[in-house]
Amino acid sequence: MPLPFVVDASSPAHVDGATLSSTVSTAPFDPPGDTVLVACVVANSSVSGTTTATVTDSTGLVWNQRSLANFATTGEEGHASIWTAVLPTAQTGMTVTVTTAGSTSTTRRPSLDVLVLRNANELLIAASAAMATTTLNAATFNFTQAAEDSLLVVAASEWQKRGVPTSSDLTATTFDQPGADGVSGLVGYRQLDDTLGTEPYSVDAFGTSTAAWNIVRLEINPAVPAPVDPTGTAFIPELPGGANVAVEVAWGADLTDTEGIHWVWSDITPDVRQEQRIAVSTGRNDEASASSPARVTMTLDNSTAAYSLGGHSPNWPNVRRNVPVRVSVDPGDGNGSRVVFQGYAVGFTPGWDVATGRVPVVRLEAAGVLRRLIQGKDPLRSSLFRYLTLSSSPAEYWPLEEENTATTATSATGGAAGTFQPIDSGGTLYGKVGWGDDTDNPATGRAVQVSAGGALVLPCRPALFSNHMTISWSMRYTSGSGAFTYFRPSGSPLYLAGTWFTDGTVEFVLTSGFGGTSILNWAQGQPFEWDNVWHHYVLEIEDIGSNTFLTFLYRDGVLIATSSDTGTFPAPTSLEFVGPPNPGGTEDPVSVAHVAVFVGLPDVAALTAAAAAHAGELATVRLERLCDEERVPVDITGTTPSTMGPQLPLALVDLLRECETVDLGILYDGVGPGLRYICRSARENAAVALVLDADQLVGPFEPVDDDQRTVNRATASSSGAKYTHEDATGPMGTQVIGVYDSSVDVNTDDGMVVPSYAEWAVHLGTVEGYRYPTVALDLRATAILAPAVLALEPSTRVTVENVGSVLAAMPTGDVDLLVEGMTMQLSPYGWTVTLRCSPYSPWVVGVLAATTGDTAPELLRLDTDGSVMDSFRSAVATSISVATPSGPLWSTNPDDYPLYLDIGGVRVRATTCVGTASPQTFAVNALGIDRAAGSPVRVWNPPVLGL
């Protein structure tokens, strides 16, 4: 399947050419190899003038112009073009430059955006024709998608320069170059799905006047993993067509190509020593454990020193840790090879062969990516820090996560450090600062506190902000004594002051003292600010020309106040956060964290989500986002309704395991370059993937009856919420077999579902009957099963039939199992697979029946209250009489049958039920064992409600 596009974090920030210039270059950036660079050029032109462009870079790549819109091609002024180049190897300090020509020298000022795309195909689909339009507001255009899962890139110039444009459905960079030679523009992209046809996208110019758009589009193919087609070595001649196993190593692989698209695999199968098996292990050991890293071991002939460390090896310097290793099997069914392991070398350990002790060998061990991730236990930085450094580009940024011993606040963008300044009152200095004193915000590791009139001062570089900026910060007030936030503009005695009053009013004033004109006011009656709760604020200020600027204030993502005012754009020289203004009085502090200043408007929704530590995020969305941020590929099957609590600064694996716990899915590795995640929804009511006859199994196929997985009392906890559930009177209840307790911590944002996790733990822990922890197969003897076995993975469902033919005196019926993990051993002398299993029955969750004709086993069927056998029935009986002393009778509707009954612990299939009063008569298959009057009758393993 196609791999998802990733806009690499190394993509440089948008750049504008200087006034009257015809060239501009990106800042130096460090793109990884095996990527596609997409340069989007937007430029001005003279009236009826044609501007052209040329793109070059510091490494000498070949740049191809893929789409162009200018006066010569569309009849509209302005210029927009998209260029691409393929970057085969990683670079450091690379720059890209655009140079414009034509038109007049004073009217071709360019801007440049460069996207670094991972998982992009070098073969680009031809772009749709360039277009021009004067449509202004909510302009929606149609694009004809030609390839599945492709990426749409759009670049647009707005020659009339109405202001900063917007787009409702593109991830976009928008801008409005200041000056008469400038141009407004937009560069954006969107990942498309697998549905071909017309895809709309929108661009919207600022204001209400007529626009002048030139728009270009480009569709880029996704990359597809290289097919597995190793030659391999025939090792099981009994299989139809011969079966082949192949062991490959990607010597010299560029591990920054995380998907392995351009790795070159070398077949080393001839060096595998056949007297020792290739051993593979993936998934969980059982249902109660997390997945261990996948693992493969084998012995290689090292007579040529091919696998030795040092310069004498022909593979030097590539015999090293983490070189990719892949094992695949072709079962000879005509459908090619299947990967049974993919991971990274742990080591090549030298030794001697076991047969003669004279042949030099190495023991190759490789593991899935989990091994490396588990060893890295350093916690990730806070969610706000990660968002502001990985997913956005503030011009100024102070995380304010310093330790208690700090004396200044470090800038994360190369700006000046922040300092604390006390207030001078009558020659006496007042005010206090507590670096790192506030640790209660899950979105930030630590935060600074100021109080008693002291101020946190963050110096800004006003030259970075010309006509449009946004200030973002998180803040908490702990009293009602009043506090200030100052944003001091450059070159003016005026400053913008934000005041948080004790009555809940928030007011922004453009002032030269403590008076001034209010430009923004958040009226009383809104949520009270002195609530000792962290809030996130975004203040956007935009110069729209004619000495007018607009101001917008957001609180926790909600726009709460707007203003349009006359004056000079207030580019800040400093940001100041002042504690309650009563020197020497109250010491109730103001906490501040993650102050950032952007050019333009960032993604307020994404910024707000990070400020809330991504609480409420779907478990799969968090898992995918974290993996993308850490450049770990992940393949997800299924969907989830489960939402997460706040993302705390924990190690990556711990955060991923939190997602696994909340969703009750399974995270594992070893089947690709990264991770694999199977959602809970994919295992609930799953179709049977493989039906085995007990005679096809190899020993030991033995049931286990023990208390290893027994839990009849469980406590679930989440963010202070705690709930204990106990099965007291059931067949495995605490009053019947004693207490078996357990606990689970669940990072969910929904306290209402915490009891469900405790109930589910008891549900899993009180499954009656035998356990079958392993199912072993000899695929040399049962070659027909090989293709289906190779398709199995953790969370697939397997049924074993005719167990009684192998194990005497076992309960009748099939054994339904859930695969948790597996081991495989390969050699010319045998091919064995052992499935590590748990009971499947807990994962049959109730669903509502269709109106008619629905007899699926997962239907919700109501049981009666205390039904019993009304009389003795022998083992061969096919009719039973059932008495129901109280409560509703059994259904007699033919549409509700067949139905499986539990008659004294025996599973019996009932085909009809008749009788309008107790007792009722069931037609059944032969009981198989005598049952006395009074034996309990109930629904066999009735489905439960899902989590």
Side-chain angles (χ1 to χ4, degrees):
M1 60 181 296
L3 299 168
F5 285 97
V6 176
V7 178
D8 193 80
S10 64
S11 300
H14 167 89
V15 287
D16 286 317
T19 300
L20 304 181
S21 68
S22 59
T23 186
V24 67
S25 298
T26 65
F29 62 106
D30 305 328
D34 294 322
T35 51
V36 173
L37 307 185
V38 181
C40 298
V41 179
V42 172
N44 197 6
S45 74
S46 58
V47 177
S48 300
T50 297
T51 296
T52 60
T54 303
V55 175
T56 58
D57 70 88
S58 57
T59 70
L61 297 179
V62 176
W63 288 87
N64 297 304
Q65 181 173 276
R66 301 293 182 176
S67 191
L68 169 67
N70 61 14
F71 188 81
T73 62
T74 68
E76 189 63 73
E77 284 86 355
H79 170 101
S81 59
I82 300 178
W83 303 66
T84 64
V86 176
L87 182 66
T89 58
Q91 299 293 326
T92 301
M94 180 178 182
T95 59
V96 177
T97 300
V98 60
T99 303
T100 55
S103 224
T104 64
S105 61
T106 59
T107 59
R108 57 183 186 232
R109 180 180 173 189
S111 69
L112 177 62
D113 290 83
V114 175
L115 303 176
V116 180
L117 297 184
R118 290 189 279 124
N119 303 337
N121 195 321
E122 299 170 9
L123 300 176
L124 303 168
I125 298 172
S128 296
M131 64 171 291
T133 181
T134 58
T135 303
L136 178 71
N137 291 315
T140 299
F141 307 104
N142 288 326
F143 172 84
T144 302
Q145 181 182 349
E148 295 180 354
D149 302 305
S150 57
L151 186 75
L152 170 65
V153 180
V154 176
S157 66
E158 200 285 286
W159 186 76
Q160 291 287 1
K161 200 177 180 302
R162 300 303 183 190
V164 179
T166 59
S167 175
S168 62
D169 47 18
L170 297 172
T171 300
T173 298
T174 58
F175 52 90
D176 181 29
Q177 296 174 339
D181 67 330
V183 67
S184 299
L186 175 151
V187 172
Y189 60 89
R190 185 169 87 237
Q191 171 80 62
L192 305 178
D193 58 22
D194 58 0
T195 304
L196 302 183
T198 300
E199 286 284 343
Y201 67 95
S202 72
V203 293
D204 184 2
F206 187 84
T208 58
S209 301
T210 302
W213 287 108
N214 261 323
I215 304 171
V216 289
R217 289 79 49 95
L218 182 68
E219 184 179 8
I220 302 178
N221 269 327
V224 178
V228 180
D229 190 24
T231 302
T233 300
F235 81 117
I236 308 178
E238 289 81 1
L239 285 183
N244 290 274
V245 62
V247 179
E248 301 166 283
V249 174
W251 300 116
D254 179 4
L255 297 184
T256 64
D257 175 13
T258 56
E259 298 283 357
I261 302 302
H262 296 88
W263 295 348
V264 178
W265 293 94
S266 299
D267 191 344
I268 65 167
T269 315
D271 289 338
V272 178
R273 298 287 295 186
Q274 296 186 353
E275 68 269 20
Q276 294 182 320
R277 295 171 182 255
I278 301 171
V280 178
S281 176
T282 56
R284 293 174 173 170
N285 289 325
D286 53 59
E287 72 270 29
S289 63
S291 296
S292 300
R295 183 172 181 261
V296 68
T297 58
M298 67 189 75
T299 301
L300 303 175
D301 189 312
N302 197 34
S303 300
T304 62
Y307 310 103
S308 297
L309 305 182
H312 62 290
S313 170
N315 291 313
W316 182 87
N318 298 317
V319 182
R320 59 192 179 197
R321 289 182 180 84
N322 275 342
V323 61
V325 176
R326 184 168 69 183
V327 179
S328 54
V329 175
D330 181 350
D333 63 348
N335 292 317
S337 295
R338 284 76 145 175
V339 173
V340 297
F341 173 86
Q342 184 172 329
Y344 304 88
V346 174
F348 298 83
T349 303
W352 303 97
D353 73 302
V354 296
T356 68
R358 299 179 180 179
V359 179
V361 298
V362 296
R363 177 180 171 82
L364 169 59
E365 179 183 356
V369 70
L370 269 176
R371 178 184 174 104
R372 177 174 57 83
L373 298 182
I374 289 173
Q375 291 177 347
K377 293 304 256 183
D378 285 345
L380 302 184
R381 294 291 297 268
S382 65
S383 59
L384 258 175
F385 179 88
R386 288 173 62 80
Y387 178 78
L388 288 167
T389 56
L390 297 177
S391 302
S392 63
S393 301
E396 303 276 23
Y397 174 40
W398 296 268
L400 302 178
E401 292 187 343
E402 280 75 16
E403 299 287 337
N404 298 107
T405 55
T407 57
T408 59
T410 302
S411 168
T413 52
T419 59
F420 172 73
Q421 292 184 4
I423 188 172
D424 187 337
S425 179
T428 301
L429 297 179
Y430 294 95
K432 288 187 176 182
V433 62
W435 299 102
D437 278 0
D438 195 322
T439 58
D440 290 340
N441 186 353
T444 180
R446 292 174 174 271
V448 64
Q449 293 183 328
V450 290
S451 60
L456 173 68
V457 179
L458 306 175
C460 295
R461 293 166 286 186
L464 298 176
F465 313 101
S466 58
N467 65 346
H468 190 192
M469 70 176 184
T470 301
I471 305 169
S472 163
W473 72 100
S474 290
M475 188 163 58
R476 173 168 78 164
Y477 289 118
T478 57
S479 79
S481 53
F484 296 101
T485 300
Y486 297 142
F487 307 124
R488 297 186 185 273
S490 172
S492 170
L494 302 179
Y495 58 86
L496 191 64
T499 307
W500 272 252
F501 292 104
T502 59
D503 63 359
T505 301
V506 178
E507 184 179 55
F508 279 84
V509 177
L510 186 63
T511 179
S512 58
F514 286 99
T517 303
S518 173
I519 64 169
L520 264 180
N521 185 271
W522 184 11
Q524 298 181 41
Q526 299 294 331
F528 195 70
E529 289 303 289
W530 302 96
D531 54 7
N532 199 23
V533 173
W534 279 95
H535 295 290
H536 184 255
Y537 297 92
V538 173
L539 180 67
E540 179 191 8
I541 305 173
E542 180 181 8
D543 187 340
I544 61 172
S546 303
N547 206 34
T548 302
F549 63 91
L550 305 177
T551 310
F552 306 88
L553 177 64
Y554 298 82
R555 175 186 184 269
D556 298 331
V558 178
L559 181 64
I560 58 174
T562 63
S563 177
S564 176
D565 299 276
T566 301
T568 304
F569 179 77
T573 57
S574 68
L575 311 179
E576 302 174 20
F577 296 86
V578 184
N582 48 343
T586 178
E587 295 186 3
D588 294 325
V590 174
S591 299
V592 185
H594 297 281
V595 179
V597 190
F598 299 82
V599 175
L601 178 66
D603 187 332
V604 175
L607 190 56
T608 302
H614 302 289
E617 188 175 39
L618 290 173
T620 49
V621 171
R622 176 167 300 181
L623 192 148
E624 187 171 24
R625 176 178 54 77
L626 286 168
C627 287
D628 181 58
E629 290 173 354
E630 295 300 307
R631 301 194 65 179
V632 178
V634 62
D635 182 20
I636 299 175
T637 295
T639 59
T640 180
S642 302
T643 51
M644 301 295 299
Q647 177 183 312
L648 301 178
L650 301 174
L652 173 62
V653 169
D654 295 334
L655 291 171
L656 299 180
R657 293 296 190 198
E658 283 188 341
C659 300
E660 183 182 28
T661 299
V662 168
D663 179 54
L664 293 177
I666 177 171
L667 180 74
Y668 66 102
D669 65 352
V671 293
L675 298 172
R676 180 98 166 89
Y677 183 72
I678 310 293
C679 295
R680 177 181 80 241
S681 62
R683 59 169 55 185
E684 292 176 339
N685 299 338
V688 176
L690 177 62
V691 178
L692 299 168
D693 191 283
D695 286 334
Q696 295 174 314
L697 309 181
V698 295
F701 177 59
E702 298 173 345
V704 173
D705 183 26
D706 60 22
D707 61 356
Q708 283 193 27
R709 306 291 173 253
T710 302
V711 174
N712 52 23
R713 179 192 293 167
T715 299
S717 303
S718 179
S719 301
K722 182 178 289 188
Y723 179 85
T724 298
H725 177 71
E726 179 177 338
D727 178 354
T729 59
M732 298 182 68
T734 56
Q735 297 177 16
V736 179
I737 65 171
V739 175
Y740 290 83
D741 58 3
S742 181
S743 62
V744 59
D745 291 324
V746 185
N747 183 18
T748 176
D749 73 321
D750 186 357
M752 298 295 291
V753 304
V754 173
S756 298
Y757 286 95
E759 293 162 0
W760 192 261
V762 171
H763 171 62
L764 292 178
T766 52
V767 176
E768 296 181 72
Y770 295 114
R771 293 191 303 112
Y772 293 84
T774 59
V775 173
L777 296 161
D778 181 354
L779 295 183
R780 184 185 179 98
T782 53
I784 194 172
L785 296 176
V789 171
L790 288 174
L792 296 178
E793 61 179 342
S795 285
T796 49
R797 182 178 179 181
V798 172
T799 296
V800 181
E801 298 178 332
N802 301 319
V803 176
S805 65
V806 174
L807 297 172
M810 286 296 99
T812 59
D814 302 335
V815 174
D816 217 7
L817 300 172
L818 182 74
V819 177
E820 301 285 357
M822 64 186 71
T823 60
M824 180 181 297
Q825 293 193 336
L826 302 156
S827 83
Y829 315 109
W831 179 10
T832 60
V833 174
T834 300
L835 308 178
R836 299 189 291 263
C837 300
S838 63
Y840 184 77
S841 58
W843 299 97
V844 179
V845 299
V847 297
L848 296 178
T851 304
T852 60
D854 195 346
T855 58
E858 61 268 18
L859 296 182
L860 282 171
R861 297 182 183 268
L862 299 180
D863 215 340
T864 58
D865 186 13
S867 294
V868 295
M869 292 272 288
D870 189 49
S871 59
F872 169 84
R873 283 294 186 270
S874 68
V876 297
T878 57
S879 175
I880 60 173
S881 178
V882 175
T884 305
S886 62
L889 298 176
W890 292 87
S891 170
T892 58
N893 187 342
D895 193 50
D896 292 335
Y897 293 86
L899 169 66
Y900 283 97
L901 301 176
D902 181 338
I903 301 178
V906 177
R907 183 172 180 259
V908 178
R909 183 174 185 267
T911 55
T912 63
C913 176
V914 296
T916 58
S918 178
Q920 296 171 284
T921 301
F922 285 87
V924 297
N925 291 356
L927 297 182
I929 189 171
D930 295 347
R931 277 293 172 256
S935 297
V937 178
R938 57 177 182 161
V939 174
W940 178 266
N941 286 343
V944 299
L945 293 176
L947 183 67

